[in-house]
Amino acid sequence: MCGVLQLYRTWKENMKTPKGLAVGIFLAGLLLMLQVPPAVLAQDPDPSSRVARLNYSSGSVSFQPGGEGDWVQAVSNRPLTTGDNLWSDKDSRAELHVGSTAIRMDSETSLTFLELDDHVVQLRLSAGSVIVRVKHIDDGDTYEIDTPNLAFDLQRSGVYRVDVNADGNETVTTVWSGRGEATGGGDSYTVIAGQRARFSGTDQLDHEIDQLPGRDDFDQWALGRDQREDRAESANYISAEMTGYEDLDDYGRWQYVADYGPVWYPTQVAAEWAPYRYGHWVWIAPWGWTWVEDEPWGFAPFHYGRWAFVERRWCWVPGPVVVRPVYAPALVAFVGGGGSHFSIAIGGGPGVAWFPLAPGEVYVPPYRVSHAYVNNVNITNTRVNVTQVTNVYNIYNNTTNVTRVTYANQRVPSGVTAVSRETFVNARPVSRNLAQVDARQMAEARVTRNLEVQPAKASVLGAGQPVAMRPPARVMERSVIARHNPPPPRVPLEQRPATRNARIESPQPAPQPEVRGKETSRAPQPSPAARPDERPIPRAPGSARTQEAPPASRPQESARPEQRSRPRSSPAAEGARPESNRPLVRPAPPVQNKPEHQQTEERKFRTWQEQRPKTEAPPHPPEKHPPAEHAPQPQKPDKQ
């Protein structure tokens, strides 16, 4: 503070004379800089707290990483993010999850994540059919499906289907439940539950409203997947916003362990199985080195929570139940060196080794993040307080003179996994390329968060084999209409600068972490925060969206008040996102209020309402759940 006052006095003195004007201007700029928090001056935005996961595929499903030109076979459990592309070929299907939101692709469907972050899920559907089930939407969130002739905004939780014909000049939106708004051709159209709306044309849309059709095979398949997901017992113990929870029931069981609470044991693994051993490493920006597990259940336990070795078995400890835990690329610590070299030698060359973090151990990200992010990624994934996080944070940043951290799993006989650098970088299967290292050496090796191993193209493409199945050229080049302005496309790996040491902003007084929801009890009862599909998730007053009945008196109302007031991106407001960098996205033309248009739409709505069946069974009847006191109790661990 004294330094700032002295600079201010010097500035005033210099401004009194013409000769000191230049110096005064310089000092004024310096004063302004000092008023800006250090994080703003030196900190890039934190990465998204959520990603998508490909958890199911049948037939031929292809994947293209954002910015790359190659198409490879899609691999389950690979995290997907902004810019990534998927193609389900003829007679093929795929299912993805972003937290509790399910996205299902039918045959011959091209899907791109235009943007995926904490508040935006924006999809480019240039051909084919998708069914999206949204269980929960917060105020300020955007769920948008962009097609060649319109942008479809999902305004409420519900079940939606969008179909784009082969020529790309017709879009059909079906709202089984919820409410959406289609924008294109200078007009906007509200589509409510029970409606099927057909939009044809590009510069001007021809809009027709129809009753819900009979369910076809794609609808029935999606409904069956929803019903399976709704029966997941794991939602009693963890948040449904944890991507990947829905597959845990089929491959393991929950038990109660002292000091940890409910934990999950995998039941279909080999005796020598260990976490972060049966899979491969890939490079995904902005996180960097990311683990992809082989097992069909292998997503949530490797990007959330911690692993513990209890009674000679590995169990997954998910941590506190929060609305949305923060995703991490791999909750491990690397051992054997750091900086520009590694002290582990494998086959005459450098090696890489790692082990899973145990409950209560702090994860210090190797990518650029803020101090608040370090707090959030830890307290949402394990039971640890901010002081513990700061202490370990300081150790890795060499800001305090403290003893090194002791890690539990570093000394477990099966805890440490090591491979050659070539296996690591080229996304080769770790379990088939294990290296033998001295256990005592591993137990004493230095732990590091920085892994200075440069990625190669194979690191980005991953383990999928090259394929010829990809969208037709006309589909790949087809642009879509968008209301939300997405970021520019990613550039290929060879055009990106070499990776550098991750840097975390210098420790400031630790801000309170921004947890999306309040922590609930770890007792094995269903938690309101863990079942967002049943009831509103506890949030700050006035922040949660509500399920209103659509107003019959105003069928074509553009949106409810809070939806209309939601801030939207615009090219003028986002100078970092020039339209010229996104040839596959066209901004939606401004909506024009035409009285004749409103009258026509009102007549269409009345006709639809008159023809609607008097009684309709809800497409997704609410499932009855037992009261909290009758929740299933976890088993006690087997004595061995």
Side-chain angles (χ1 to χ4, degrees):
M1 186 64 185
C2 293
V4 174
L5 289 175
Q6 183 60 42
L7 278 172
Y8 176 72
R9 295 190 186 105
T10 306
W11 172 77
K12 288 190 68 177
E13 291 297 326
N14 276 281
M15 293 300 289
K16 292 178 181 178
T17 63
K19 292 183 178 180
L21 182 59
V23 176
I25 293 174
F26 169 78
L27 291 173
L30 186 58
L31 279 168
L32 289 173
M33 291 180 63
L34 290 172
Q35 306 308 310
V36 180
V40 176
L41 292 175
Q43 188 61 40
D44 293 337
D46 287 332
S48 172
S49 66
R50 60 180 180 174
V51 296
R53 172 211 183 197
L54 175 66
N55 60 285
Y56 172 89
S57 64
S58 64
S60 299
V61 179
S62 307
F63 165 70
Q64 183 191 54
E68 304 299 327
D70 301 85
W71 286 84
V72 296
Q73 180 184 10
V75 174
S76 295
N77 292 325
R78 178 185 172 118
L80 305 174
T81 187
T82 299
D84 288 341
N85 302 280
L86 285 170
W87 167 254
S88 55
D89 208 49
K90 185 176 177 59
D91 299 324
S92 304
R93 282 181 181 155
E95 179 181 270
L96 305 94
H97 277 82
V98 180
S100 63
T101 297
I103 304 168
R104 299 182 174 99
M105 303 169 56
D106 201 12
S107 172
E108 297 182 283
T109 296
S110 176
L111 192 70
T112 300
F113 282 97
L114 289 176
E115 184 163 9
L116 175 55
D117 63 18
D118 292 355
H119 300 288
V120 177
V121 177
Q122 185 178 12
L123 306 175
R124 171 179 174 257
L125 179 65
S126 51
S129 304
V130 296
I131 294 178
V132 179
R133 185 193 188 192
V134 181
K135 287 187 177 181
H136 181 78
I137 299 181
D138 288 325
D139 282 349
D141 285 357
T142 295
Y143 284 79
E144 182 174 306
I145 303 174
D146 298 329
T147 76
N149 64 346
L150 61 83
F152 191 54
D153 181 34
L154 315 185
Q155 297 179 342
R156 299 179 184 171
S157 59
V159 181
Y160 305 85
R161 173 169 172 167
V162 181
D163 301 84
V164 175
N165 68 347
D167 294 330
N169 58 6
E170 181 178 273
T171 299
V172 179
T173 62
T174 305
V175 180
W176 295 99
S177 60
R179 177 190 179 104
E181 183 179 47
T183 303
D187 289 309
S188 64
Y189 309 82
T190 298
V191 187
I192 65 174
Q195 287 185 342
R196 185 189 197 197
R198 184 184 305 273
F199 302 90
S200 57
T202 52
D203 296 335
Q204 183 175 351
L205 295 183
D206 183 15
H207 170 226
E208 296 297 333
I209 306 175
D210 202 352
Q211 306 297 326
L212 288 178
R215 291 187 179 273
D216 62 11
D217 185 62
F218 183 41
D219 295 318
Q220 294 289 356
W221 173 74
L223 178 59
R225 299 289 296 180
D226 285 338
Q227 292 173 342
R228 168 187 175 272
E229 191 174 312
D230 290 341
R231 293 191 295 268
E233 179 189 351
S234 295
N236 292 324
Y237 310 112
I238 55 181
S239 170
E241 293 303 318
M242 178 184 291
T243 302
Y245 83 93
E246 64 278 348
D247 286 326
L248 296 177
D249 289 359
D250 294 338
Y251 300 96
R253 65 177 183 269
W254 290 91
Q255 296 183 358
Y256 190 89
V257 173
D259 299 329
Y260 296 148
V263 303
W264 183 82
Y265 283 95
T267 55
Q268 302 179 30
V269 294
E272 69 278 6
W273 185 90
Y276 299 98
R277 183 168 297 170
Y278 291 81
H280 62 278
W281 291 93
V282 297
W283 178 269
I284 301 177
W287 298 274
W289 292 112
T290 302
W291 179 256
V292 179
E293 182 75 8
D294 290 342
E295 282 91 359
W297 51 266
F299 194 89
F302 299 93
H303 301 290
Y304 310 96
R306 299 289 190 270
W307 282 92
F309 195 70
V310 179
E311 306 242 355
R312 294 177 293 175
R313 292 185 300 168
W314 289 99
C315 66
W316 178 57
V317 185
V321 177
V322 296
V323 173
R324 186 191 294 171
V326 177
Y327 161 87
L331 291 160
V332 302
F334 293 96
V335 295
S340 60
H341 67 280
F342 273 78
S343 59
I344 299 175
I346 295 176
V352 183
W354 61 89
F355 59 84
L357 294 176
E361 294 179 351
V362 175
Y363 169 69
V364 181
Y367 42 94
R368 296 173 66 93
V369 293
S370 67
H371 194 183
Y373 178 95
V374 179
N375 291 337
N376 289 344
V377 77
N378 281 284
I379 69 169
T380 63
N381 283 299
T382 192
R383 293 196 172 275
V384 64
N385 60 48
V386 173
T387 301
Q388 291 172 281
V389 175
T390 301
N391 288 341
V392 177
Y393 172 95
N394 290 341
I395 292 172
Y396 279 107
N397 285 277
N398 297 318
T399 58
T400 58
N401 185 17
V402 293
T403 58
R404 76 172 193 169
V405 181
T406 300
Y407 291 93
N409 292 333
Q410 187 178 3
R411 288 162 176 77
V412 174
S414 62
V416 180
T417 300
V419 295
S420 68
R421 186 184 293 239
E422 287 70 25
T423 293
F424 186 92
V425 169
N426 292 295
R428 296 172 185 167
V430 167
S431 61
R432 297 204 294 266
N433 295 277
L434 292 174
Q436 297 298 321
V437 293
D438 182 77
R440 186 171 182 179
Q441 178 190 8
M442 282 293 95
E444 299 299 325
R446 185 166 67 89
V447 177
T448 180
R449 69 178 179 89
N450 280 332
L451 186 62
E452 292 191 1
V453 177
Q454 294 296 321
K457 188 166 187 176
S459 312
V460 178
L461 296 178
Q465 297 298 314
V467 294
M469 286 76 70
R470 63 186 64 190
R474 70 180 187 280
V475 172
M476 296 177 64
E477 298 168 359
R478 186 177 288 164
S479 61
V480 295
I481 300 293
R483 289 182 64 183
H484 177 82
N485 189 23
R490 280 189 282 171
V491 299
L493 177 68
E494 58 268 18
Q495 297 180 18
R496 304 175 200 169
T499 60
R500 301 176 181 176
N501 286 339
R503 177 174 57 79
I504 304 176
E505 69 177 83
S506 300
Q508 306 293 329
Q512 290 300 315
E514 183 185 350
V515 182
R516 296 177 63 86
K518 298 172 65 176
E519 178 179 336
T520 61
S521 171
R522 291 295 295 147
Q525 285 91 23
S527 165
R531 301 303 300 267
D533 54 323
E534 289 182 337
R535 64 191 77 179
I537 296 178
R539 298 184 62 79
S543 65
R545 292 194 179 197
T546 56
Q547 286 282 13
E548 315 169 25
S553 60
R554 301 184 65 183
Q556 297 302 324
E557 183 183 19
S558 63
R560 62 190 188 287
E562 64 266 30
Q563 177 67 22
R564 289 196 301 270
S565 63
R566 180 200 301 172
R568 288 193 171 273
S569 303
S570 66
E574 299 188 28
R577 297 183 178 187
E579 290 296 334
S580 59
N581 286 345
R582 294 185 310 285
L584 300 182
V585 175
R586 309 192 311 275
V591 175
Q592 302 176 6
N593 294 321
K594 302 176 182 178
E596 62 275 12
H597 168 78
Q598 297 295 333
Q599 294 172 3
T600 301
E601 295 307 312
E602 184 176 358
R603 287 196 299 271
K604 292 178 181 179
F605 180 85
R606 288 176 180 173
T607 302
W608 167 82
Q609 199 170 40
E610 291 169 357
Q611 296 175 350
R612 191 178 187 189
K614 298 301 181 183
T615 58
E616 288 187 0
H620 289 270
E623 186 175 343
K624 295 182 179 180
H625 295 279
E629 57 269 24
H630 299 302
Q633 299 295 317
Q635 305 175 27
K636 295 292 183 182
D638 299 334
K639 299 295 182 181
Q640 297 188 6

